[in-house]
Protein backbone atom coordinates (compact mmCIF):
# COMPACT_ATOMS: atom_id res chain seq x y z
CA UNK A 1 0.00 0.00 0.00
CA UNK A 2 1.16 3.48 -0.74
CA UNK A 3 0.70 6.65 1.23
CA UNK A 4 -2.05 8.82 -0.26
CA UNK A 5 -2.04 11.67 2.22
CA UNK A 6 1.05 12.64 4.13
CA UNK A 7 0.82 15.26 6.86
CA UNK A 8 4.24 16.22 8.26
CA UNK A 9 4.68 18.31 11.39
CA UNK A 10 1.79 20.62 10.64
CA UNK A 11 1.21 23.57 12.96
CA UNK A 12 -1.47 26.26 12.95
CA UNK A 13 -1.68 29.17 15.35
CA UNK A 14 -4.51 31.64 15.81
CA UNK A 15 -3.03 34.66 17.53
CA UNK A 16 -1.56 33.18 20.70
CA UNK A 17 -3.46 29.91 20.55
CA UNK A 18 -1.83 26.91 18.94
CA UNK A 19 -4.78 25.07 17.44
CA UNK A 20 -2.72 22.34 15.82
CA UNK A 21 0.74 21.56 17.15
CA UNK A 22 3.21 19.67 14.93
CA UNK A 23 0.81 16.92 13.96
CA UNK A 24 1.99 14.18 11.61
CA UNK A 25 -0.10 11.43 10.12
CA UNK A 26 -0.25 9.46 6.94
CA UNK A 27 -3.27 7.92 5.32
CA UNK A 28 -2.70 4.92 3.10
CA UNK A 29 -4.47 4.25 -0.14
CA UNK A 30 -7.65 2.24 0.43
CA UNK A 31 -8.00 2.57 4.20
CA UNK A 32 -10.52 4.26 6.44
CA UNK A 33 -8.64 6.58 8.76
CA UNK A 34 -10.23 8.58 11.55
CA UNK A 35 -9.13 11.61 13.48
CA UNK A 36 -10.91 11.95 16.79
CA UNK A 37 -10.63 14.17 19.80
CA UNK A 38 -12.75 16.15 22.24
CA UNK A 39 -14.17 19.55 21.38
CA UNK A 40 -11.49 22.09 20.63
CA UNK A 41 -8.86 19.46 19.95
CA UNK A 42 -8.01 21.06 16.61
CA UNK A 43 -9.71 18.48 14.41
CA UNK A 44 -11.49 20.96 12.21
CA UNK A 45 -8.40 23.16 11.86
CA UNK A 46 -6.39 20.15 10.74
CA UNK A 47 -9.18 19.21 8.38
CA UNK A 48 -9.29 22.70 6.90
CA UNK A 49 -5.57 22.67 6.23
CA UNK A 50 -5.79 19.31 4.48
CA UNK A 51 -8.78 20.57 2.44
CA UNK A 52 -6.89 23.67 1.33
CA UNK A 53 -9.08 26.17 3.16
CA UNK A 54 -6.10 27.56 5.07
CA UNK A 55 -2.34 27.01 4.79
CA UNK A 56 -0.39 25.65 7.75
CA UNK A 57 2.04 27.96 9.57
CA UNK A 58 4.62 25.20 9.62
CA UNK A 59 4.94 21.70 8.24
CA UNK A 60 3.91 20.23 4.92
CA UNK A 61 1.03 18.27 3.49
CA UNK A 62 1.34 16.07 0.43
CA UNK A 63 -1.50 14.45 -1.47
CA UNK A 64 -0.75 11.64 -3.91
CA UNK A 65 2.93 12.45 -3.73
CA UNK A 66 2.55 16.15 -4.48
CA UNK A 67 2.77 19.10 -2.11
CA UNK A 68 -0.79 20.16 -1.41
CA UNK A 69 -0.65 22.67 1.44
CA UNK A 70 -1.63 26.12 0.26
CA UNK A 71 -3.27 24.70 -2.87
CA UNK A 72 -6.78 26.08 -3.51
CA UNK A 73 -9.73 23.81 -2.67
CA UNK A 74 -10.98 23.59 -6.26
CA UNK A 75 -7.53 22.56 -7.42
CA UNK A 76 -7.33 19.89 -4.70
CA UNK A 77 -10.71 18.61 -5.81
CA UNK A 78 -9.34 18.26 -9.32
CA UNK A 79 -6.43 16.25 -7.99
CA UNK A 80 -8.87 13.86 -6.33
CA UNK A 81 -9.49 15.15 -2.83
CA UNK A 82 -13.16 15.78 -2.01
CA UNK A 83 -14.61 17.02 1.24
CA UNK A 84 -17.88 17.44 3.09
CA UNK A 85 -18.74 20.23 5.50
CA UNK A 86 -19.46 19.71 9.16
CA UNK A 87 -22.39 22.08 8.93
CA UNK A 88 -23.85 20.78 5.71
CA UNK A 89 -23.83 23.17 2.78
CA UNK A 90 -26.17 21.86 0.10
CA UNK A 91 -27.21 24.22 -2.71
CA UNK A 92 -30.61 24.90 -1.10
CA UNK A 93 -32.61 26.14 -4.09
CA UNK A 94 -31.40 23.38 -6.39
CA UNK A 95 -32.76 19.87 -6.60
CA UNK A 96 -30.97 16.89 -5.12
CA UNK A 97 -30.16 15.79 -8.67
CA UNK A 98 -28.72 19.19 -9.59
CA UNK A 99 -26.63 19.20 -6.42
CA UNK A 100 -25.08 15.86 -7.29
CA UNK A 101 -24.74 16.77 -10.97
CA UNK A 102 -22.69 19.84 -10.10
CA UNK A 103 -20.35 17.59 -8.15
CA UNK A 104 -20.07 15.20 -11.08
CA UNK A 105 -19.46 17.97 -13.63
CA UNK A 106 -15.74 18.33 -13.10
CA UNK A 107 -14.77 14.92 -14.47
CA UNK A 108 -17.68 14.45 -16.86
CA UNK A 109 -17.16 15.24 -20.55
CA UNK A 110 -20.64 16.77 -20.79
CA UNK A 111 -23.79 17.37 -18.76
CA UNK A 112 -25.35 14.13 -19.95
CA UNK A 113 -22.47 12.15 -18.45
CA UNK A 114 -22.54 14.29 -15.30
CA UNK A 115 -26.22 13.50 -14.79
CA UNK A 116 -25.59 9.80 -15.31
CA UNK A 117 -22.80 9.85 -12.73
CA UNK A 118 -25.00 11.84 -10.34
CA UNK A 119 -27.73 9.25 -10.72
CA UNK A 120 -25.32 6.46 -9.79
CA UNK A 121 -24.14 8.28 -6.70
CA UNK A 122 -27.66 9.17 -5.59
CA UNK A 123 -28.66 5.50 -5.79
CA UNK A 124 -25.59 4.56 -3.80
CA UNK A 125 -26.48 7.09 -1.10
CA UNK A 126 -30.18 6.16 -0.97
CA UNK A 127 -31.28 9.53 -2.36
CA UNK A 128 -32.55 8.49 -5.76
CA UNK A 129 -36.19 8.74 -4.67
CA UNK A 130 -35.61 12.30 -3.49
CA UNK A 131 -33.83 13.47 -6.65
CA UNK A 132 -36.52 15.94 -7.71
CA UNK A 133 -36.80 17.54 -4.26
CA UNK A 134 -35.13 20.83 -3.51
CA UNK A 135 -32.15 20.37 -1.22
CA UNK A 136 -33.59 22.78 1.33
CA UNK A 137 -36.59 20.52 1.85
CA UNK A 138 -34.50 17.53 2.95
CA UNK A 139 -34.23 16.25 6.51
CA UNK A 140 -30.84 16.43 8.24
CA UNK A 141 -29.94 12.77 7.64
CA UNK A 142 -30.83 13.17 3.97
CA UNK A 143 -28.80 16.36 3.78
CA UNK A 144 -25.80 14.66 5.34
CA UNK A 145 -26.01 11.94 2.73
CA UNK A 146 -26.43 14.52 -0.01
CA UNK A 147 -23.25 16.14 1.23
CA UNK A 148 -21.48 12.80 0.80
CA UNK A 149 -23.12 12.15 -2.55
CA UNK A 150 -21.97 15.47 -3.92
CA UNK A 151 -18.40 14.94 -2.77
CA UNK A 152 -18.39 11.38 -4.05
CA UNK A 153 -19.72 12.53 -7.41
CA UNK A 154 -16.46 14.40 -8.00
CA UNK A 155 -14.79 11.01 -8.32
CA UNK A 156 -12.27 11.43 -5.50
CA UNK A 157 -9.38 9.21 -4.49
CA UNK A 158 -9.66 10.55 -0.95
CA UNK A 159 -12.93 11.49 0.70
CA UNK A 160 -12.61 13.86 3.65
CA UNK A 161 -15.65 13.64 5.91
CA UNK A 162 -16.11 16.32 8.55
CA UNK A 163 -18.33 14.95 11.34
CA UNK A 164 -20.70 13.42 8.87
CA UNK A 165 -22.41 11.44 11.63
CA UNK A 166 -22.85 14.22 14.16
CA UNK A 167 -26.46 14.92 15.01
CA UNK A 168 -27.78 11.67 13.54
CA UNK A 169 -29.88 9.08 15.35
CA UNK A 170 -28.27 5.65 15.90
CA UNK A 171 -30.25 4.02 13.09
CA UNK A 172 -29.18 6.78 10.72
CA UNK A 173 -25.58 6.37 11.87
CA UNK A 174 -25.74 2.64 11.09
CA UNK A 175 -27.11 3.41 7.68
CA UNK A 176 -24.35 5.85 6.82
CA UNK A 177 -21.67 3.52 8.25
CA UNK A 178 -22.87 0.81 5.87
CA UNK A 179 -22.81 3.23 2.96
CA UNK A 180 -19.32 4.47 3.79
CA UNK A 181 -18.03 0.90 3.97
CA UNK A 182 -19.49 0.31 0.55
CA UNK A 183 -17.83 3.44 -0.82
CA UNK A 184 -14.52 2.38 0.68
CA UNK A 185 -14.82 -1.08 -0.86
CA UNK A 186 -15.24 0.55 -4.25
CA UNK A 187 -11.71 1.92 -3.87
CA UNK A 188 -12.13 5.32 -2.24
CA UNK A 189 -9.85 6.12 0.68
CA UNK A 190 -11.71 7.81 3.54
CA UNK A 191 -10.46 10.23 6.17
CA UNK A 192 -13.07 10.94 8.84
CA UNK A 193 -13.04 13.56 11.48
CA UNK A 194 -15.47 12.35 14.09
CA UNK A 195 -17.03 12.89 17.39
CA UNK A 196 -19.33 9.89 17.40
CA UNK A 197 -17.12 7.24 18.97
CA UNK A 198 -19.22 4.13 18.44
CA UNK A 199 -19.45 4.59 14.68
CA UNK A 200 -15.82 5.59 14.36
CA UNK A 201 -14.70 2.47 16.15
CA UNK A 202 -16.86 0.34 13.89
CA UNK A 203 -15.65 1.99 10.73
CA UNK A 204 -12.04 3.05 10.97
CA UNK A 205 -9.04 0.81 10.54
CA UNK A 206 -6.72 3.30 12.19
CA UNK A 207 -7.47 6.16 14.53
CA UNK A 208 -5.47 9.26 15.31
CA UNK A 209 -6.33 11.02 18.56
CA UNK A 210 -5.84 14.76 19.04
CA UNK A 211 -6.04 16.65 22.29
CA UNK A 212 -5.33 20.37 22.68
CA UNK A 213 -3.97 20.39 19.16
CA UNK A 214 -1.40 17.67 19.73
CA UNK A 215 -1.27 13.99 18.93
CA UNK A 216 -1.78 11.78 21.97
CA UNK A 217 -2.22 8.39 20.33
CA UNK A 218 -2.52 6.56 17.06
CA UNK A 219 -3.39 2.98 16.28
CA UNK A 220 -6.18 0.47 15.77
CA UNK A 221 -9.50 1.16 17.53
CA UNK A 222 -8.61 -1.41 20.21
CA UNK A 223 -5.20 0.10 20.87
CA UNK A 224 -6.55 3.61 21.00
CA UNK A 225 -9.41 2.85 23.38
CA UNK A 226 -6.98 1.20 25.79
CA UNK A 227 -4.53 4.08 25.66
CA UNK A 228 -4.44 5.77 29.11
CA UNK A 229 -4.04 9.28 27.68
CA UNK A 230 -7.09 8.79 25.48
CA UNK A 231 -9.16 7.60 28.39
CA UNK A 232 -8.02 10.57 30.40
CA UNK A 233 -8.81 13.17 27.77
CA UNK A 234 -12.10 11.64 26.71
CA UNK A 235 -13.59 10.36 29.90
CA UNK A 236 -11.77 12.43 32.46
CA UNK A 237 -9.09 11.13 34.81
CA UNK A 238 -11.64 9.93 37.37
CA UNK A 239 -12.93 7.27 34.98
CA UNK A 240 -9.62 5.49 35.35
CA UNK B 1 -20.28 21.52 -26.75
CA UNK B 2 -22.12 21.62 -30.03
CA UNK B 3 -24.71 24.37 -29.72
CA UNK B 4 -26.95 22.91 -32.39
CA UNK B 5 -27.10 19.56 -30.66
CA UNK B 6 -27.82 21.26 -27.35
CA UNK B 7 -30.53 23.28 -29.01
CA UNK B 8 -32.28 20.18 -30.26
CA UNK B 9 -31.85 18.69 -26.78
CA UNK B 10 -33.44 21.79 -25.35
CA UNK B 11 -36.39 21.42 -27.68
CA UNK B 12 -36.71 17.70 -27.00
CA UNK B 13 -36.75 18.18 -23.26
CA UNK B 14 -39.49 20.79 -23.11
CA UNK B 15 -43.03 19.46 -23.01
CA UNK B 16 -44.69 19.54 -26.42
CA UNK B 17 -47.55 21.75 -25.22
CA UNK B 18 -45.15 24.35 -23.85
CA UNK B 19 -43.17 24.42 -27.10
CA UNK B 20 -46.36 24.80 -29.09
CA UNK B 21 -47.49 27.67 -26.90
CA UNK B 22 -44.09 29.33 -27.13
CA UNK B 23 -44.03 28.96 -30.92
CA UNK B 24 -47.52 30.38 -31.13
CA UNK B 25 -46.55 33.39 -29.03
CA UNK B 26 -43.51 34.13 -31.15
CA UNK B 27 -45.63 33.73 -34.29
CA UNK B 28 -48.24 36.16 -32.96
CA UNK B 29 -45.52 38.66 -32.09
CA UNK B 30 -43.99 38.18 -35.54
CA UNK B 31 -47.19 39.18 -37.34
CA UNK B 32 -48.42 41.69 -34.77
CA UNK B 33 -46.93 44.81 -36.48
CA UNK B 34 -49.64 44.45 -39.12
CA UNK B 35 -52.19 45.72 -36.61
CA UNK B 36 -50.01 47.75 -34.26
CA UNK B 37 -49.82 51.49 -34.56
CA UNK B 38 -46.71 53.59 -34.09
CA UNK B 39 -47.27 54.04 -30.39
CA UNK B 40 -47.87 50.38 -29.65
CA UNK B 41 -44.85 49.43 -31.73
CA UNK B 42 -42.73 51.66 -29.50
CA UNK B 43 -44.23 50.07 -26.37
CA UNK B 44 -43.43 46.62 -27.70
CA UNK B 45 -39.93 47.76 -28.60
CA UNK B 46 -39.41 48.76 -24.98
CA UNK B 47 -40.85 45.47 -23.71
CA UNK B 48 -38.49 43.44 -25.89
CA UNK B 49 -35.59 45.70 -25.02
CA UNK B 50 -36.13 45.47 -21.29
CA UNK B 51 -36.66 41.71 -21.56
CA UNK B 52 -33.28 41.48 -23.30
CA UNK B 53 -31.28 43.54 -20.84
CA UNK B 54 -33.17 41.89 -17.99
CA UNK B 55 -32.09 38.53 -19.33
CA UNK B 56 -28.50 39.77 -19.52
CA UNK B 57 -28.54 41.15 -15.98
CA UNK B 58 -30.16 37.94 -14.78
CA UNK B 59 -27.08 36.00 -15.91
CA UNK B 60 -25.07 37.85 -13.30
CA UNK B 61 -27.58 38.17 -10.49
CA UNK B 62 -30.09 35.41 -11.12
CA UNK B 63 -27.64 32.71 -12.17
CA UNK B 64 -24.40 33.67 -10.47
CA UNK B 65 -25.69 35.75 -7.54
CA UNK B 66 -23.59 38.83 -8.29
CA UNK B 67 -25.51 42.06 -7.86
CA UNK B 68 -24.81 44.74 -10.44
CA UNK B 69 -26.46 48.11 -10.03
CA UNK B 70 -24.47 49.69 -12.82
CA UNK B 71 -25.65 47.87 -15.92
CA UNK B 72 -26.41 51.18 -17.62
CA UNK B 73 -22.63 51.30 -18.06
CA UNK B 74 -22.73 48.55 -20.68
CA UNK B 75 -25.80 50.01 -22.39
CA UNK B 76 -23.98 53.33 -22.64
CA UNK B 77 -20.69 51.87 -23.81
CA UNK B 78 -22.45 49.82 -26.47
CA UNK B 79 -24.53 52.79 -27.53
CA UNK B 80 -21.65 55.23 -27.77
CA UNK B 81 -19.39 52.80 -29.62
CA UNK B 82 -22.11 51.91 -32.10
CA UNK B 83 -23.05 55.54 -32.66
CA UNK B 84 -19.46 56.80 -32.89
CA UNK B 85 -18.33 54.17 -35.35
CA UNK B 86 -21.36 54.87 -37.53
CA UNK B 87 -21.34 58.65 -37.44
CA UNK B 88 -17.59 59.29 -37.47
CA UNK B 89 -16.32 56.35 -39.49
CA UNK B 90 -19.35 55.02 -41.37
CA UNK B 91 -19.04 51.59 -39.83
CA UNK B 92 -22.35 49.72 -39.75
CA UNK B 93 -23.80 48.92 -36.33
CA UNK B 94 -24.09 45.33 -37.54
CA UNK B 95 -20.29 45.26 -37.37
CA UNK B 96 -19.98 47.70 -34.49
CA UNK B 97 -21.68 45.29 -32.10
CA UNK B 98 -18.41 43.36 -32.04
CA UNK B 99 -16.21 46.19 -30.71
CA UNK B 100 -19.13 47.30 -28.54
CA UNK B 101 -19.26 43.86 -26.96
CA UNK B 102 -15.49 43.74 -26.63
CA UNK B 103 -15.24 47.07 -24.82
CA UNK B 104 -18.17 46.25 -22.53
CA UNK B 105 -16.57 42.89 -21.75
CA UNK B 106 -13.29 44.64 -20.93
CA UNK B 107 -15.06 47.00 -18.53
CA UNK B 108 -17.00 44.10 -17.03
CA UNK B 109 -13.79 42.12 -16.64
CA UNK B 110 -12.08 45.07 -14.94
CA UNK B 111 -14.95 45.48 -12.46
CA UNK B 112 -15.14 41.73 -11.92
CA UNK B 113 -11.41 41.38 -11.46
CA UNK B 114 -11.30 44.17 -8.88
CA UNK B 115 -14.32 42.86 -7.03
CA UNK B 116 -13.73 39.14 -7.11
CA UNK B 117 -9.96 39.16 -6.74
CA UNK B 118 -10.13 41.30 -3.64
CA UNK B 119 -13.18 39.61 -2.16
CA UNK B 120 -15.55 42.55 -2.50
CA UNK B 121 -18.94 40.91 -2.19
CA UNK B 122 -22.64 41.61 -2.03
CA UNK B 123 -23.61 45.23 -1.61
CA UNK B 124 -19.98 46.36 -1.74
CA UNK B 125 -19.62 44.78 -5.12
CA UNK B 126 -22.85 46.52 -6.16
CA UNK B 127 -21.34 49.83 -5.04
CA UNK B 128 -18.32 49.12 -7.20
CA UNK B 129 -20.58 48.64 -10.23
CA UNK B 130 -22.34 51.94 -9.49
CA UNK B 131 -18.99 53.68 -9.10
CA UNK B 132 -17.79 52.48 -12.50
CA UNK B 133 -20.99 53.62 -14.19
CA UNK B 134 -20.76 57.02 -12.51
CA UNK B 135 -17.10 57.54 -13.33
CA UNK B 136 -17.76 56.59 -16.94
CA UNK B 137 -20.68 59.03 -17.03
CA UNK B 138 -18.43 61.82 -15.83
CA UNK B 139 -15.81 60.80 -18.37
CA UNK B 140 -18.29 61.00 -21.24
CA UNK B 141 -19.71 64.25 -19.87
CA UNK B 142 -16.29 65.81 -20.37
CA UNK B 143 -15.19 64.10 -23.53
CA UNK B 144 -15.76 66.64 -26.28
CA UNK B 145 -15.08 64.19 -29.13
CA UNK B 146 -18.38 62.47 -28.29
CA UNK B 147 -20.21 65.74 -27.65
CA UNK B 148 -19.73 65.84 -23.90
CA UNK B 149 -22.73 66.73 -21.80
CA UNK B 150 -24.44 68.25 -24.84
CA UNK B 151 -24.94 64.77 -26.19
CA UNK B 152 -24.16 62.81 -29.30
CA UNK B 153 -26.62 62.51 -32.19
CA UNK B 154 -27.15 60.00 -34.92
CA UNK B 155 -28.55 61.71 -38.01
CA UNK B 156 -31.88 60.45 -39.25
CA UNK B 157 -31.41 58.88 -42.64
CA UNK B 158 -33.95 59.55 -45.40
CA UNK B 159 -33.53 56.03 -46.76
CA UNK B 160 -34.27 53.00 -44.67
CA UNK B 161 -31.29 50.69 -44.26
CA UNK B 162 -32.02 47.82 -41.91
CA UNK B 163 -28.38 46.62 -41.66
CA UNK B 164 -27.42 50.07 -40.48
CA UNK B 165 -30.37 50.23 -38.09
CA UNK B 166 -31.85 53.11 -40.05
CA UNK B 167 -35.58 52.74 -40.37
CA UNK B 168 -38.96 53.12 -38.72
CA UNK B 169 -40.59 51.57 -35.68
CA UNK B 170 -41.37 48.32 -37.51
CA UNK B 171 -37.67 47.73 -38.09
CA UNK B 172 -36.87 48.31 -34.44
CA UNK B 173 -39.78 46.14 -33.38
CA UNK B 174 -38.30 43.19 -35.25
CA UNK B 175 -34.72 43.89 -34.23
CA UNK B 176 -35.72 44.00 -30.57
CA UNK B 177 -37.92 40.91 -30.89
CA UNK B 178 -35.03 39.01 -32.46
CA UNK B 179 -32.73 40.25 -29.73
CA UNK B 180 -35.10 39.04 -27.02
CA UNK B 181 -35.46 35.61 -28.62
CA UNK B 182 -31.70 35.23 -29.11
CA UNK B 183 -31.02 36.34 -25.53
CA UNK B 184 -33.55 33.80 -24.29
CA UNK B 185 -32.03 30.96 -26.30
CA UNK B 186 -28.49 31.90 -25.27
CA UNK B 187 -29.50 31.93 -21.62
CA UNK B 188 -31.44 28.68 -21.93
CA UNK B 189 -28.35 27.01 -23.38
CA UNK B 190 -26.09 28.54 -20.75
CA UNK B 191 -28.46 27.49 -17.99
CA UNK B 192 -28.08 23.87 -19.07
CA UNK B 193 -24.34 23.99 -19.63
CA UNK B 194 -21.54 23.21 -17.21
CA UNK B 195 -20.85 26.92 -16.88
CA UNK B 196 -24.51 27.58 -16.06
CA UNK B 197 -24.45 24.96 -13.33
CA UNK B 198 -21.20 26.37 -11.99
CA UNK B 199 -22.93 29.77 -11.76
CA UNK B 200 -25.84 28.29 -9.83
CA UNK B 201 -23.44 26.58 -7.46
CA UNK B 202 -21.57 29.84 -6.87
CA UNK B 203 -24.84 31.66 -6.27
CA UNK B 204 -26.05 29.06 -3.79
CA UNK B 205 -22.80 28.61 -1.85
CA UNK B 206 -19.42 29.67 -3.19
CA UNK B 207 -17.50 27.77 -0.53
CA UNK B 208 -19.28 24.52 -1.33
CA UNK B 209 -18.85 25.16 -5.05
CA UNK B 210 -15.10 25.54 -4.56
CA UNK B 211 -14.99 22.23 -2.70
CA UNK B 212 -16.56 20.58 -5.76
CA UNK B 213 -13.77 21.69 -8.07
CA UNK B 214 -15.40 24.87 -9.35
CA UNK B 215 -13.07 27.80 -9.92
CA UNK B 216 -15.32 30.42 -8.33
CA UNK B 217 -13.31 33.40 -9.59
CA UNK B 218 -13.46 32.19 -13.17
CA UNK B 219 -17.17 31.42 -12.96
CA UNK B 220 -17.95 34.91 -11.66
CA UNK B 221 -15.75 36.53 -14.29
CA UNK B 222 -17.53 34.56 -17.01
CA UNK B 223 -20.89 35.77 -15.70
CA UNK B 224 -19.88 39.43 -15.78
CA UNK B 225 -18.33 39.14 -19.21
CA UNK B 226 -21.31 37.33 -20.76
CA UNK B 227 -23.76 39.72 -19.12
CA UNK B 228 -21.92 42.87 -20.20
CA UNK B 229 -21.54 41.65 -23.78
CA UNK B 230 -25.27 40.91 -24.08
CA UNK B 231 -26.15 44.26 -22.56
CA UNK B 232 -23.82 46.10 -24.95
CA UNK B 233 -25.66 44.69 -27.97
CA UNK B 234 -28.92 46.01 -26.54
CA UNK B 235 -27.11 49.31 -25.97
CA UNK B 236 -26.20 49.64 -29.65
CA UNK B 237 -29.80 49.02 -30.66
CA UNK B 238 -31.14 51.48 -28.12
CA UNK B 239 -28.81 54.26 -29.31
CA UNK B 240 -29.98 53.84 -32.90
CA UNK B 241 -33.59 53.73 -31.76
CA UNK B 242 -33.26 56.96 -29.78
CA UNK B 243 -30.86 58.64 -32.22
CA UNK B 244 -29.29 60.50 -29.33
CA UNK B 245 -27.07 59.81 -26.36
CA UNK B 246 -26.68 61.97 -23.29
CA UNK B 247 -24.25 60.79 -20.63
CA UNK B 248 -26.57 62.00 -17.87
CA UNK B 249 -29.35 59.73 -19.17
CA UNK B 250 -27.39 56.89 -20.70
CA UNK B 251 -25.27 56.10 -17.68
CA UNK B 252 -27.85 57.19 -15.10
CA UNK B 253 -28.33 54.95 -12.10
CA UNK B 254 -32.10 55.27 -12.60
CA UNK B 255 -31.58 53.46 -15.91
CA UNK B 256 -29.61 50.75 -14.14
CA UNK B 257 -32.43 50.31 -11.65
CA UNK B 258 -35.11 50.28 -14.33
CA UNK B 259 -33.22 47.52 -16.12
CA UNK B 260 -33.23 45.15 -13.17
CA UNK B 261 -36.92 45.42 -12.25
CA UNK B 262 -38.27 43.07 -14.90
CA UNK B 263 -36.15 40.07 -13.90
CA UNK B 264 -36.80 40.72 -10.20
CA UNK B 265 -40.54 40.95 -10.69
CA UNK B 266 -40.64 38.14 -13.22
CA UNK B 267 -38.46 35.83 -11.15
CA UNK B 268 -34.73 35.94 -10.48
CA UNK B 269 -32.72 33.17 -12.00
CA UNK B 270 -35.54 31.97 -14.24
CA UNK B 271 -35.54 32.10 -18.04
CA UNK B 272 -39.08 33.40 -18.46
CA UNK B 273 -38.91 35.80 -15.55
CA UNK B 274 -37.20 38.70 -17.35
CA UNK B 275 -39.60 38.40 -20.31
CA UNK B 276 -42.71 38.10 -18.17
CA UNK B 277 -41.53 40.97 -15.96
CA UNK B 278 -40.97 43.20 -18.97
CA UNK B 279 -44.41 42.35 -20.36
CA UNK B 280 -45.98 43.30 -17.03
CA UNK B 281 -44.01 46.39 -16.10
CA UNK B 282 -43.35 48.21 -19.35
CA UNK B 283 -46.94 48.49 -20.63
CA UNK B 284 -48.23 49.46 -17.18
CA UNK B 285 -45.52 52.10 -16.92
CA UNK B 286 -46.37 53.45 -20.36
CA UNK B 287 -50.09 53.56 -19.60
CA UNK B 288 -49.32 55.42 -16.41
CA UNK B 289 -47.11 57.95 -18.17
CA UNK B 290 -49.87 58.57 -20.71
CA UNK B 291 -52.51 58.88 -17.99
CA UNK B 292 -50.46 61.33 -15.96
CA UNK B 293 -49.85 63.39 -19.07
CA UNK B 294 -53.58 63.50 -19.74
CA UNK B 295 -54.55 64.39 -16.20
CA UNK B 296 -51.73 66.75 -15.30
CA UNK B 297 -51.47 68.16 -18.79
CA UNK B 298 -47.74 67.56 -18.87
CA UNK B 299 -45.25 64.78 -18.41
CA UNK B 300 -43.94 64.29 -14.89
CA UNK B 301 -40.49 62.73 -15.11
CA UNK B 302 -39.89 59.73 -12.93
CA UNK B 303 -43.55 58.97 -12.34
CA UNK B 304 -43.09 55.53 -13.90
CA UNK B 305 -40.27 54.82 -11.46
CA UNK B 306 -42.55 55.60 -8.55
CA UNK B 307 -45.06 53.26 -10.06
CA UNK B 308 -42.43 50.55 -10.57
CA UNK B 309 -41.54 50.83 -6.91
CA UNK B 310 -45.15 50.34 -5.91
CA UNK B 311 -45.58 47.43 -8.32
CA UNK B 312 -42.42 45.86 -6.96
CA UNK B 313 -43.76 46.04 -3.41
CA UNK B 314 -47.12 44.52 -4.33
CA UNK B 315 -45.57 41.70 -6.32
CA UNK B 316 -42.90 40.91 -3.74
CA UNK B 317 -45.69 40.76 -1.16
CA UNK B 318 -47.81 38.26 -3.08
CA UNK B 319 -45.13 36.39 -5.02
CA UNK B 320 -41.83 36.82 -3.20
CA UNK B 321 -39.93 34.73 -5.74
CA UNK B 322 -41.40 36.63 -8.68
CA UNK B 323 -44.35 36.15 -10.96
CA UNK B 324 -43.00 33.29 -13.05
CA UNK B 325 -42.39 30.86 -10.16
CA UNK B 326 -45.83 31.76 -8.83
CA UNK B 327 -47.43 31.22 -12.23
CA UNK B 328 -45.53 27.97 -12.65
CA UNK B 329 -47.06 26.68 -9.45
CA UNK B 330 -50.53 27.72 -10.59
CA UNK B 331 -49.98 25.98 -13.92
CA UNK B 332 -48.81 22.83 -12.16
CA UNK B 333 -45.30 22.84 -13.66
CA UNK B 334 -43.04 20.90 -11.29
CA UNK B 335 -40.34 22.71 -9.36
CA UNK B 336 -36.90 22.53 -10.83
CA UNK B 337 -38.38 22.69 -14.32
CA UNK B 338 -38.41 25.83 -16.38
Amino acid sequence: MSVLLDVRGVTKRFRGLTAVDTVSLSVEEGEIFAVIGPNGAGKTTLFNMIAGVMPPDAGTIAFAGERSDGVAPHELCRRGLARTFQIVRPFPELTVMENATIGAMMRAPDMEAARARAGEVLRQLDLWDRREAKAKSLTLPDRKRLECARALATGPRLLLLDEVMAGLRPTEVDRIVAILREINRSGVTILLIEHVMRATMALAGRIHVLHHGATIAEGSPEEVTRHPKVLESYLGAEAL
Amino acid sequence: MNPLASLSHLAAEAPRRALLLLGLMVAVLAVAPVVLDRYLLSVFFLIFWFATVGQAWNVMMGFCGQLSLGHALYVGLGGYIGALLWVKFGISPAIAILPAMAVAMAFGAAIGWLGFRFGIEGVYFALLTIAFAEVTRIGFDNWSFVGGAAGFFIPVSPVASPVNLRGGPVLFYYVALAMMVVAFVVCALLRRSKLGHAWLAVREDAEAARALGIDVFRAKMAAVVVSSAMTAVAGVVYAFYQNNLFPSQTFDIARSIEMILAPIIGGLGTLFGPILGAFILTPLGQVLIALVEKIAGRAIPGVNLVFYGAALMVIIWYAPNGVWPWLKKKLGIPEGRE
Side-chain angles (χ1 to χ4, degrees), chain B residues 12 22 29 36 47 49 52 61 64-65 71 131 139 144 173 179 188 198 212 231 245 258 262-263 275 319 323 335:
Chain B
L22 214 61
L29 289 174
L36 295 176
I47 294 173
W49 192 84
T52 306
M61 181 64 192
C64 196
H71 253 51
S144 54
Y173 176 96
M179 221 164 53
L212 297 176
T231 312
L245 287 150
E258 209 176 337
I275 297 174
V323 177
E335 267 190 283

Side-chain angles (χ1 to χ4, degrees), chain B residues 153-172:
Chain B
F153 299 88
I154 304 172
V156 180
S157 155
V159 262
S161 166
V163 227
N164 295 324
L165 287 178
R166 297 291 71 195
V170 174
L171 169 70
F172 281 97

Side-chain angles (χ1 to χ4, degrees), chain B residues 134-168:
Chain B
E134 281 296 290
V135 168
T136 311
R137 178 182 66 77
I138 294 166
F140 273 84
D141 252 340
N142 295 293
W143 189 14
S144 54
F145 182 67
V146 298
F152 190 78
F153 299 88
I154 304 172
V156 180
S157 155
V159 262
S161 166
V163 227
N164 295 324
L165 287 178
R166 297 291 71 195

Side-chain angles (χ1 to χ4, degrees), chain A residues 78 89 92-93 108 134, chain B residues 191 194 204-205 210 213 335:
Chain A
R78 273 167 210 180
R89 306 181 82 140
E93 293 294 331
K134 279 196 179 182
Chain B
R191 170 70 178 76
K194 278 190 180 187
E204 293 291 299
D205 191 328
R210 201 170 276 132
E335 267 190 283

Side-chain angles (χ1 to χ4, degrees), chain A residues 53 73-74 77-78 82-83 85 89-95 98-99 102-103 105-106 108-112 115 132 134 150-151 154, chain B residues 9 13 191-195 197-198 200-216 218 321 334-337:
Chain A
V53 177
H74 66 263
C77 186
R78 273 167 210 180
R83 70 165 295 182
F85 291 90
R89 306 181 82 140
F91 303 128
E93 293 294 331
L94 305 186
T95 64
E98 284 173 316
N99 266 272
I102 287 169
M105 243 165 31
M106 185 183 59
D110 54 40
M111 289 307 289
E112 213 57 52
R115 263 188 286 275
E132 293 289 339
K134 279 196 179 182
R150 221 171 44 173
T154 65
Chain B
H9 256 294
E13 223 172 64
R191 170 70 178 76
R192 287 172 40 89
S193 72
K194 278 190 180 187
L195 181 60
H197 282 80
L200 297 181
V202 170
R203 176 192 78 191
E204 293 291 299
D205 191 328
E207 189 73 31
R210 201 170 276 132
L212 297 176
I214 292 168
D215 188 334
V216 172
R218 263 182 56 186
N321 294 321
E335 267 190 283
R337 283 273 181 79

